[in-house]
Amino acid sequence: MATDRVVVVGAGIGGLVAALLLAARGANVTVVEAAERPGGKMREVTVGGRPVDSGPTVFTLRRVFDRIFDAVGERLDDHLSLRPADVLARHAWADGDRLDLFSDVERSADAIGAFAGAAEAKGYRAFAARACAVFNTLEHPFIEVPRPSPIGLTRAVGLGRIGELMRITPFKTLWDALGEHFADPRLRQLFGRYATYCGSSPFAAPATLMLVAHVEQEGVWLIDGGMHRLAATLAGLAEARGAQFRYGSAVTRIVVTNGRASAVRLANGEVLPADIVVCNADVAALADGRFGPGTAKAVPPTAPRQRSLSAVTWSLAAPTDGFPLARHTVFFSDDYAAEFADILSHRRLPKAPTVYVCAQDRDDGGRLASPGEAERLLVLVNAPAGGDSPTLDPSEIARCADRTFAFLSRCGLTVDRDPARTVTTTPADFEAMFPATGGALYGRASHGWMASFRRPGPATRLPGLFVAGGSTHPGPGVPMAAISGRLAAEAALAALASTTPSRRAAMSGGTSTA
């Protein structure tokens, strides 16, 4: 097995998991990453000499990682310090309304009852049960399989459970399904936001995305030292098993020989031979020919209109006053439909954005270790994935900043911004980091009931080339990207085993999310 050469292109979570599992099985693994550190979208930005998590900020489905660590003979708790969050998120509106959701369903139901009345609390309990049922129905026959299809999903569920499959209502939009549980538009807005976790609009995404609410309800964890610690830990474990990491090494071509992936060429001209290539870049870059013409037809293309949301973010260190932030706080716009129409129909930054604030020096209840001092914040608004077009010029980004922080002020939160301690990231910046995406952060948008089936599985049309990451099945998000890495490793091992009969394709330790 040690003679099998695997090159992993990209050190995002999917690539890191694939590299770790393949190295643990004895493959000769080299990871090449254009950035200077691992993590991909799980990135840190240094502001005023302090690191700010400026990618994913929510860690869920910890059991996915427990089993990945177990598969390589490790314990997650021996490498990372995790604390369960009691308050999942704080939600606020400009008129002063405020609602916290909790890790306990009944406590959330009580809060919703006090916020909007007993009928809405009853609706929330039914919604939570429905979201749980959707997740349980789809976990094994959809999330855990390499390349799901509608027919395959139906067969896997079985005739005896076909009623469960129909109850997940894939043909309804999430927004319409929420109307069956909530009359209060604020609650539809709150739970509709879970579609944005997949870079999608609640007005176009299928009702099945309510499973995201259950994923969060299962537990949100805070990682001491920040989310980037997870990426660094996975990279360290892979290195301990022999994987080599080449940072600051951009790949310009995946070399194809005799109809299969055979090597990668770096920007400096160096060629790394490979029996297997695992590409952890957005699959749009493959289809766009960014890795050479030989891989352009390996995966289906993603048209600009099919892209998921991008974002404008501000990573900053600033004193705050007024509104009592929790670790995760969402300030909702006055008109949710208009916000998504701006982004997806008019392809412009929203005139009235919903704003997410991650206050990284606070615990989940909002307690600040050093009150009065500048605190680390990630402020985010959704944006169209137009980073490869001239529509979002610097003046429009500046106006977006003015609108965003003025809206926070309307909601009671004053942020004393200092340009010297603020780093702005735009769709154009995300396009530069993740080429051929326009800055889309989640691959293809999950719009329509078939969208989730259109994400490529780990095996591509080109022998020897496999893919992983949030643009592949089972989709975006930290745990889903990790599952994609595991699926890519399993598919690569099976391909290697098919060329040498004595090799075992299965991995010990099991990484099912059951």
Side-chain angles (χ1 to χ4, degrees):
M1 188 73 179
T3 59
D4 292 323
R5 300 163 300 181
V6 177
V7 176
V8 178
V9 180
I13 291 299
L16 290 170
V17 169
L20 170 60
L21 295 177
L22 287 164
R25 288 299 307 277
N28 183 354
V29 177
T30 301
V31 181
V32 286
E33 167 58 54
E36 298 297 333
R37 304 176 67 189
K41 294 184 179 74
M42 188 178 282
R43 64 193 186 105
E44 281 184 336
V45 171
T46 301
V47 179
R50 302 168 67 191
V52 178
D53 272 337
S54 298
T57 56
V58 178
F59 184 75
T60 58
L61 284 183
R62 126 170 218 161
R63 56 198 170 104
V64 170
F65 288 93
D66 280 326
R67 284 162 181 148
I68 289 169
F69 277 62
D70 181 66
V72 298
E74 302 283 349
R75 292 180 66 253
L76 181 63
D77 287 328
D78 290 339
H79 297 274
L80 292 170
S81 177
L82 302 175
R83 292 172 288 126
D86 180 39
V87 178
L88 300 180
R90 180 159 293 161
H91 307 87
W93 291 262
D95 61 4
D97 291 339
R98 189 185 307 164
L99 174 64
D100 288 355
L101 290 184
F102 300 93
S103 56
D104 178 71
V105 169
E106 283 305 310
R107 192 174 175 192
S108 291
D110 290 343
I112 288 171
F115 176 77
E120 299 298 273
K122 181 179 179 181
Y124 167 71
R125 291 185 180 95
F127 168 75
R130 185 176 176 183
C132 178
V134 170
F135 182 83
N136 289 338
T137 298
L138 294 179
E139 181 180 12
H140 295 293
F142 179 80
I143 295 172
E144 286 290 328
V145 300
R147 190 69 180 94
S149 68
I151 293 174
L153 176 60
T154 302
R155 287 174 177 167
V157 169
L159 292 177
R161 297 176 59 203
I162 199 69
E164 295 176 32
L165 193 58
M166 295 312 297
R167 280 193 291 274
I168 70 175
T169 55
F171 307 115
K172 285 188 176 182
T173 67
L174 178 60
W175 189 259
D176 287 342
L178 290 171
E180 299 173 13
H181 298 282
F182 304 110
D184 192 312
R186 297 169 300 177
L187 295 175
R188 290 178 75 180
Q189 191 177 35
L190 188 161
F191 292 106
R193 181 177 173 272
Y194 286 115
T196 67
Y197 282 40
C198 300
S200 305
S201 162
F203 302 97
T208 48
L209 284 191
M210 67 176 65
L211 68 82
V212 179
H214 175 72
V215 166
E216 197 165 271
Q217 188 66 61
E218 274 203 8
V220 169
W221 300 78
L222 308 180
I223 301 179
D224 288 345
M227 291 289 287
H228 192 265
R229 290 284 306 146
L230 174 62
T233 297
L234 290 169
L237 290 174
E239 284 185 302
R241 285 152 181 79
Q244 298 182 32
F245 282 75
R246 304 276 299 269
Y247 296 113
S249 299
V251 173
T252 58
R253 182 177 293 258
I254 295 173
V255 179
V256 178
T257 305
N258 296 325
R260 65 174 293 115
S262 61
V264 302
R265 180 176 295 136
L266 307 184
N268 64 6
E270 184 180 359
V271 175
L272 304 178
D275 299 295
I276 293 289
V277 176
V278 178
C279 186
N280 186 211
D282 194 292
V283 294
L286 281 172
D288 197 51
R290 301 299 178 97
F291 294 102
T295 60
K297 295 183 179 180
V299 293
T302 303
R305 68 181 182 279
Q306 296 170 330
R307 291 170 175 168
S308 63
L309 298 173
S310 185
V312 178
T313 69
W314 297 270
S315 306
L316 65 161
T320 65
D321 192 27
F323 186 93
L325 291 168
R327 180 63 167 257
H328 305 289
T329 306
V330 183
F331 297 87
F332 283 105
S333 65
D334 296 329
D335 190 337
Y336 218 34
E339 179 180 351
F340 283 97
D342 277 344
I343 296 170
L344 297 175
S345 299
H346 304 300
R347 311 301 297 174
R348 65 192 180 200
L349 292 168
K351 294 179 180 178
T354 291
V355 184
Y356 166 68
V357 179
C358 179
Q360 297 171 29
D361 293 313
R362 297 176 184 255
D363 62 18
D364 62 307
R367 289 170 289 274
L368 188 59
S370 302
E373 295 184 3
E375 56 180 308
R376 295 173 300 158
L377 305 173
L378 174 66
V379 179
L380 178 150
V381 300
N382 293 317
D388 51 357
S389 69
T391 56
L392 301 179
D393 60 34
S395 63
E396 178 58 21
I397 298 297
R399 287 191 292 271
C400 179
D402 291 342
R403 291 193 297 265
T404 297
F405 288 93
F407 177 60
L408 291 178
S409 182
R410 263 183 67 203
C411 294
L413 176 66
T414 300
V415 180
D416 187 10
R417 287 187 292 155
D418 177 357
R421 293 192 296 178
T422 303
V423 175
T424 304
T425 308
T426 70
D429 297 319
F430 287 121
E431 159 69 19
M433 287 185 275
F434 312 110
T437 65
L441 297 175
Y442 313 88
R444 177 190 287 266
S446 298
H447 292 160
W449 74 275
M450 276 294 293
S452 295
F453 295 103
R454 293 193 174 105
R455 291 180 179 272
T460 73
R461 296 167 183 163
L462 180 66
L465 176 63
F466 299 86
V467 291
S471 64
T472 72
H473 175 75
V478 175
M480 298 303 168
I483 291 171
S484 81
R486 188 258 296 170
L487 292 173
E490 290 177 348
L493 286 167
L496 291 169
S498 69
T499 61
T500 303
S502 62
R503 292 180 180 137
R504 292 169 53 218
M507 283 186 292
S508 61
T511 56
S512 162
T513 62

